Amino acid sequence: MQQIIGFLIIFGSVFGGYTLMGGTFAAIWHPIEILVIAGAGAGALVLGNPGHVLHELTHQLKKIVVRKKYDSEFQRQLLLLMYELLQLAAGGLKALDAHVEAPKDSAIFQRYPLVLEEQKLLSFIVDNFRLMAMGKINAHELEGVLEQELELIHEELTQPAKSLNKIGEAMPGFGILAAVLGIVITMGTVGGGASSGEIAEKVGAAMVGTFIGIFLCYGLIDPICNMLKQLVGEEASTMEIVKVVLVTHVAGKPALLAIDSGRRLVQLNTKPSFAQLESWITAMEGGGDDSGGDASRRGGGRAKAA
């Protein structure tokens, strides 16, 4: 909703101001120039990027249209999922095999549908639990591996925004291209005996191309690129939470302390308090009627966390 309001403000300010100054939409409505500029931009985007970048760009654009936010409910599900997996791993990482091999069929993962919908995050979770199960790895080694993986993931996720931003920067140039073509057509009419009024009209129409290119660059593509960068930042922060939880767990800390380490990296607008995290865990475990083993593990975690 906020994005729609933003675009309405942009269009209202630009075209509303133009109308108030006495302009008419007929004078700036030139679909062929829009075709030239937008088509050249789309062609340059396709020419300059591999298929997987275009696919990821399409996926990210869909997400900002739907504007699925990583809200407090998503954070609750992520932290509780990690807590359950760590509690299960306390009995041996082999106990996780059935869950990480087919997460969509796992009863644990099915309790957290918001996480299950995030394919990249889901793959990151199950791949690294598999890594921990394959052999003994210390916290320092695991942290190094995960940092390298996150750097690569972040680079791949930001590539669509970078590519679209370059096309946005080229839009004023494409606008000038359309304007030059319009001037060429106008000069052709001079030899045909066009009147000064007709020439002025055609020159004005040609200059609309420059306006369209600048407007697409700064009024549409630039804010869209900014939204894509924020989306990637939110996705990366969820993976960073998982990384910290796993590294803390491998370092030998109790599950509650590991989960709290991840909680600290949640963005401030959705970050739960430690008391809220404990209440979520208590509710998940049956409102305090935990089994002796679970209660002792959580109690030990609280003691060490303190």
Side-chain angles (χ1 to χ4, degrees), residues 289-303:
D289 296 329
D290 312 310
S291 64
D294 287 344
S296 63
R297 281 196 296 270
R298 197 171 76 249
R302 288 172 180 159

Side-chain angles (χ1 to χ4, degrees), residues 99-299:
H99 299 282
V100 298
E101 292 299 329
K104 294 188 177 180
D105 298 327
S106 164
I108 293 179
F109 282 92
Q110 288 175 357
R111 286 197 285 272
Y112 307 104
L114 294 181
V115 179
L116 205 56
E117 291 174 3
E118 296 295 321
Q119 187 57 48
K120 297 184 186 69
L121 176 61
L122 184 64
S123 297
F124 185 75
I125 293 172
V126 299
D127 285 351
N128 286 294
F129 269 106
R130 286 194 192 101
L131 174 65
M132 292 162 54
M134 283 191 296
K136 187 172 180 59
I137 183 171
N138 62 44
H140 179 71
E141 292 171 336
L142 179 62
E143 185 174 16
V145 170
L146 296 186
E147 283 181 355
Q148 291 180 345
E149 183 178 3
L150 286 177
E151 286 180 8
L152 179 61
I153 291 174
H154 188 265
E155 180 64 26
E156 291 184 357
L157 291 180
T158 55
Q159 188 57 50
K162 292 179 181 177
S163 298
L164 187 61
N165 185 61
K166 288 183 179 179
I167 298 301
E169 292 175 348
M171 277 298 161
F174 289 133
I176 294 173
L177 173 65
V180 170
L181 293 176
I183 295 297
V184 170
I185 295 173
T186 301
M187 293 298 102
T189 64
V190 173
S195 67
S196 59
E198 291 174 334
I199 294 174
E201 183 180 350
K202 289 185 177 296
V203 170
M207 294 304 295
V208 171
T210 304
F211 160 73
I212 293 173
I214 295 173
F215 179 75
L216 288 176
C217 174
Y218 297 106
L220 293 179
I221 297 180
D222 188 63
I224 289 175
C225 289
N226 191 44
M227 286 191 286
L228 292 179
K229 290 176 183 177
Q230 293 179 20
L231 175 68
V232 169
E234 291 175 354
E235 289 189 11
S237 69
T238 61
M239 295 185 187
E240 191 71 26
I241 291 170
V242 173
K243 184 201 85 170
V244 170
V245 169
L246 294 179
V247 170
T248 306
H249 168 73
V250 172
K253 307 302 181 184
L256 183 61
L257 184 57
I259 299 302
D260 183 58
S261 299
R263 176 194 67 85
R264 296 172 186 272
L265 297 183
V266 176
Q267 294 183 341
L268 290 177
N269 61 319
T270 57
K271 183 177 181 178
S273 65
F274 181 77
Q276 190 173 15
L277 175 62
E278 271 201 312
S279 69
W280 290 343
I281 294 175
T282 300
M284 178 192 70
E285 294 180 338
D289 296 329
D290 312 310
S291 64
D294 287 344
S296 63
R297 281 196 296 270
R298 197 171 76 249

Side-chain angles (χ1 to χ4, degrees), residues 31-45:
I32 302 302
E33 291 201 39
I34 297 175
L35 173 64
V36 171
I37 298 168
L45 187 66

